[in-house]
Amino acid sequence: MSTFDTIPQTRQEALVEILLRLADDRLILGHRLSEWAGHGPELEEDLALANIALDMIGHASALYEYAAKLDNKPDEDFFAYFRDDIDFKNIALTELPKGDFAFTITRQFLFSLFSYFLYKELIEIVEEEQFNGMLQKHFKEIKYHLRYSREWVLRLGDGTNESKSRIQNAFNELWMYTGEMFELDKAFEAAIEHNLYSDVTKWRPEWRSFVNSTLTEATLTLPDYEQYMFTGARSGRHTEHLGHLLAQMQFLRRSYPDAEWK
Amino acid sequence: MTESSTHTTEWPLWEVFYQPSDGKPFEHAGSVHAPDAEMALLNARDTYARRNEGIVIWVVPSDQITASSPEDRGPFFDPANDKAYRHPQFYSVPRAVKKRK
């Protein structure tokens, strides 16, 4: 059953919805990053990307576990492995194929910067102790992801002609997927009322000017279009890529539902 | 990753040191490749500091380290072999000092 456009009625429902949205973004992007394992441009970058992948999947796992407890689901695996693409609430930015190194770095930078602003706000307002503790713990790792990806944006932008054109292309391509980060639907509005989510539109200009100053420092140009922004993934209307990703990620668990680590 | 070892433009090598805790001397962890010092620091963190190994990292360009050569081993270290009195264990603790414990 899809949770398509359902509106949370209670505080608890609003919380579960937020946990799942945060977790889905992190699981899907974490999985995309994990695809670099063994394929990184250098051994050191291979490790760096795998580390970030592990961090993000770890964040998702903690969020799912909490959601499972609140929502009377068996465990975190239920959310990761036994839902179909229409039930996933991640934004499209996180599900796009990994592309080249510049594409991966650009996406990580845009997403980690968004996470940075979001978590900073949430830590201030969220009253639930367990949720807030989780956010504080993950925030430290987000700061590192931001630092790593920002340093690479600077180096690729201000690097060779090839690296510069690749990362500029990545920004141009990904820009239309950044709109979804700042969309507020009924579920987010309900969560904002309960101090469970931040009014992201408030700090969107700050996010944008941080991107802009990084791009300027990297001798790159901020994509100058806002006309067309991709939308719909949060409520289940995903790109074609998510289904393929899930098929790969879920098949083992679904084929052997009772399998255990020995 | 597979091709990088044959690149002629391989990144420079950096030696990584970490301090296990406040006041402790830095220990050599290993080395990483990186295009510059800041990335060397991040790579060192990702390679050697994922399990709470320390609190501070140093990275040093490997070619900036002056090392003794294997031939130096004799003149540098052998003379110490028969000078046991350079170790504190050589000396017995006077009874009066022991008693105070």
Side-chain angles (χ1 to χ4, degrees):
Chain A
M1 247 286 283
S2 160
T3 49
F4 210 73
D5 292 339
T6 44
I7 303 164
Q9 299 301 323
T10 64
R11 182 184 175 84
Q12 173 143 326
E13 281 175 25
L15 176 55
V16 169
E17 182 69 18
I18 289 302
L19 293 171
L20 292 181
R21 289 180 178 202
L22 290 175
D24 286 350
D25 279 346
R26 280 146 192 86
L27 176 67
I28 300 302
L29 185 50
H31 186 84
R32 279 295 183 220
L33 284 169
S34 78
E35 293 173 352
W36 279 101
H39 302 278
E42 291 283 338
L43 177 61
E44 285 79 358
E45 301 316 317
D46 204 276
L47 279 173
L49 293 172
N51 279 338
I52 298 177
L54 277 173
D55 286 347
M56 297 194 80
I57 294 168
H59 298 180
S61 165
L63 293 159
Y64 283 142
E65 201 186 324
Y66 187 31
K69 211 175 72 187
L70 296 174
D71 202 29
N72 290 319
K73 294 291 189 296
D75 54 18
E76 65 266 37
D77 282 4
F78 168 83
F79 294 115
Y81 295 122
F82 297 100
R83 289 181 302 155
D84 293 328
D85 54 357
I86 198 169
D87 295 320
F88 272 80
K89 302 155 193 293
N90 61 288
I91 55 173
L93 178 81
T94 61
E95 71 199 34
L96 300 171
K98 76 182 199 305
D100 61 10
F101 185 68
F103 188 89
T104 284
I105 288 296
T106 301
R107 164 162 59 187
Q108 196 61 43
F109 170 69
L110 294 168
F111 186 81
S112 295
L113 182 61
F114 175 79
S115 300
Y116 174 83
F117 280 110
L118 179 63
Y119 277 52
K120 193 160 70 104
E121 279 269 309
L122 290 181
I123 287 166
E124 295 295 318
I125 59 173
V126 167
E127 290 152 22
E128 277 75 6
E129 212 176 308
Q130 188 179 349
F131 187 20
N132 201 305
M134 217 181 270
L135 293 166
Q136 290 184 43
K137 186 167 170 244
H138 300 169
F139 187 51
K140 288 184 198 157
E141 296 182 340
I142 290 167
K143 284 186 193 164
Y144 184 78
H145 303 164
L146 176 58
R147 176 170 174 184
Y148 170 85
S149 54
R150 184 176 177 277
E151 292 294 343
W152 266 119
V153 170
L154 298 178
R155 279 160 184 76
L156 294 175
D158 200 8
T160 63
N161 285 338
E162 186 179 354
S163 72
K164 185 181 180 134
S165 86
R166 283 192 189 216
I167 195 150
Q168 184 66 62
N169 286 343
F171 272 100
N172 296 346
E173 236 176 279
L174 282 163
W175 195 246
M176 67 182 245
Y177 295 97
T178 60
E180 269 191 322
M181 297 194 283
F182 298 98
E183 276 179 10
L184 293 177
D185 61 359
K186 291 270 188 309
F188 275 136
E189 280 162 13
I192 290 171
E193 291 214 348
H194 291 296
N195 281 337
L196 293 166
Y197 200 67
S198 156
D199 182 355
V200 293
T201 56
K202 265 194 327 200
W203 44 264
R204 185 178 192 173
E206 225 182 311
W207 174 88
R208 195 192 147 96
S209 87
F210 191 107
V211 175
N212 194 31
S213 68
T214 301
L215 289 187
T216 308
E217 200 181 332
T219 70
L220 297 168
T221 329
L222 190 75
D224 63 351
Y225 66 89
E226 303 284 341
Q227 297 89 336
Y228 178 71
M229 285 284 175
F230 185 93
T231 183
R234 276 264 190 252
S235 45
R237 295 184 293 277
H238 289 281
T239 67
E240 74 209 74
H241 307 295
L242 182 63
H244 294 279
L245 183 154
L246 292 181
Q248 197 188 32
M249 190 181 81
Q250 295 178 331
F251 93 92
L252 188 74
R253 196 72 175 83
R254 288 192 180 205
S255 309
Y256 305 94
D258 301 321
E260 273 181 46
W261 292 104
K262 290 279 185 200
Chain B
M1 199 166 123
T2 44
E3 289 167 21
S4 66
S5 55
T6 58
H7 283 182
T8 48
T9 54
E10 197 171 80
W11 288 342
L13 198 62
W14 304 73
E15 297 303 317
V16 180
F17 301 84
Y18 68 93
Q19 189 179 26
S21 59
D22 277 322
K24 290 273 168 61
F26 280 71
E27 290 176 27
H28 186 229
S31 52
V32 290
H33 288 97
D36 53 49
E38 170 68 15
M39 290 316 297
L41 208 50
L42 300 192
N43 288 347
R45 180 266 189 189
D46 283 331
T47 310
Y48 296 111
R50 286 281 297 178
R51 291 162 205 87
N52 207 14
E53 283 87 343
I55 54 164
V56 180
I57 300 179
W58 284 348
V59 287
V60 182
S62 302
D63 61 9
Q64 292 301 304
I65 288 181
T66 309
S68 64
S69 61
E71 299 86 73
D72 292 334
R73 188 169 160 175
F76 270 43
F77 304 107
D78 286 354
N81 279 348
D82 55 355
K83 297 181 179 66
Y85 53 84
R86 289 182 180 173
H87 293 277
Q89 292 86 340
F90 179 78
Y91 299 94
S92 54
V93 182
R95 203 178 300 143
V97 175
K98 272 184 184 164
K99 262 190 192 161
R100 307 234 2 142
K101 287 202 285 192

